[in-house]
Amino acid sequence: DGTVCTQNSAIQAVVFNASPTVSVQKIVKTTLCDGQTVDLKVTYDNGTVKWNTDESSDQVTVSVSGTYQATVTNASGCTAEANVEVQFFPNPVLNLPNTGVCVPSHKTVTLTAPPGMASYTWNGQAGSQSYTVDHPQTVTLTVADKNGCQATQDIQVVDECPNIVIPNAFTPNGDGVNDSWNIPGLEYDPTSLVRVFTRYGQQVFESRGYKKPWDGTSKGKQLPGGVY
């Protein structure tokens, strides 16, 4: 009817609870590399914690790169979140092939590691990208990249001298073709002993080492053609 009537309600108490505080830290002192783990620890003032890994402890262990989040919920249902980024660096890759050397022929081999590493260690000794081997052994290579991640490989270096091939004929007739009895595989072996006999057992040639192949002579004279 145009009049205005008012009535006050009873006083209602409204309480705003403070949101919880939360922070996450990585418990680590070194670079993180693949295959390692790191502990993440959450610090908060009240409530319960829940990680995005479905774990609910104050400290978790992770081994995969990613963003990890901890959510704290207090008794009033108020929440707070904290994130931490975890990055695992890849380890270097080593794939040096096994190889061989030949001690009598003074054949050596040079092992070459991947370039760009911060450090190279060969058989426990600091070195460079390459390493020369002159006798059979197992070589242990350890490299570290700029991130401090490491890789180790054992390389087998075996005894691998060239096969000795003994020709069954040559023609020492002075024509410049096949005039010497060349035996591949002996030219650098000072320990080899080569003896030549007639078919009746008479020795006509002897050489310790074989740097100079036999030319078909004995005591300065040309031997007749035949089987020796």
Side-chain angles (χ1 to χ4, degrees):
D1 57 359
T3 60
V4 178
C5 301
T6 64
Q7 182 177 0
N8 294 328
S9 69
I11 296 175
Q12 303 293 324
V14 179
V15 178
F16 289 91
N17 293 297
S19 297
T21 59
V22 59
S23 63
V24 177
Q25 68 176 123
K26 289 182 287 187
I27 305 175
V28 63
K29 296 181 180 179
T30 59
T31 301
L32 299 177
C33 304
D34 284 343
Q36 296 178 329
T37 61
V38 60
D39 292 333
L40 306 179
K41 184 177 181 180
V42 61
T43 302
Y44 54 99
D45 56 356
N46 64 85
T48 58
V49 64
K50 186 74 170 182
W51 295 86
N52 59 349
T53 59
D54 287 333
E55 296 172 272
S56 57
S57 58
D58 291 353
Q59 183 170 308
V60 296
T61 301
V62 299
S63 60
V64 179
S65 297
T67 301
Y68 292 88
Q69 182 181 82
T71 301
V72 173
T73 305
N74 65 13
S76 301
C78 301
T79 61
E81 297 174 349
N83 298 326
V84 62
E85 188 75 23
V86 177
Q87 176 66 50
F88 290 92
F89 293 102
N91 292 313
V93 176
L94 293 177
N95 190 24
L96 277 69
N98 294 328
T99 185
V101 296
C102 182
V103 175
S105 67
H106 306 290
K107 174 188 173 184
T108 62
V109 64
T110 299
L111 306 177
T112 303
M117 297 296 165
S119 67
Y120 300 88
T121 303
W122 302 90
N123 286 343
Q125 299 295 321
S128 62
Q129 182 186 353
S130 60
Y131 184 73
T132 300
V133 182
D134 60 3
H135 63 278
Q137 59 183 285
T138 298
V139 177
T140 300
L141 166 63
T142 299
V143 299
D145 62 16
K146 62 181 181 180
N147 297 316
C149 298
Q150 296 185 347
T152 300
Q153 180 190 354
D154 287 338
I155 304 103
Q156 301 298 327
V157 181
V158 300
D159 189 3
E160 191 176 68
C161 292
N163 292 329
I164 298 175
V165 180
I166 303 179
N168 62 359
F170 73 113
T171 56
N173 54 12
D175 63 356
V177 179
N178 200 28
D179 282 335
S180 299
W181 189 43
N182 294 300
I183 306 177
L186 289 185
E187 58 269 29
Y188 297 112
D189 186 356
T191 66
S192 63
L193 176 62
V194 180
R195 289 173 175 165
V196 180
F197 300 85
T198 67
R199 63 190 307 171
Y200 304 109
Q202 180 184 358
Q203 181 174 311
V204 294
F205 175 81
E206 179 177 315
S207 175
R208 174 69 67 175
Y210 202 61
K211 290 185 178 181
K212 183 179 180 181
W214 183 43
D215 60 1
T217 64
S218 178
K219 298 180 180 179
K221 296 182 180 180
Q222 188 70 38
L223 293 172
V227 177
Y228 292 84

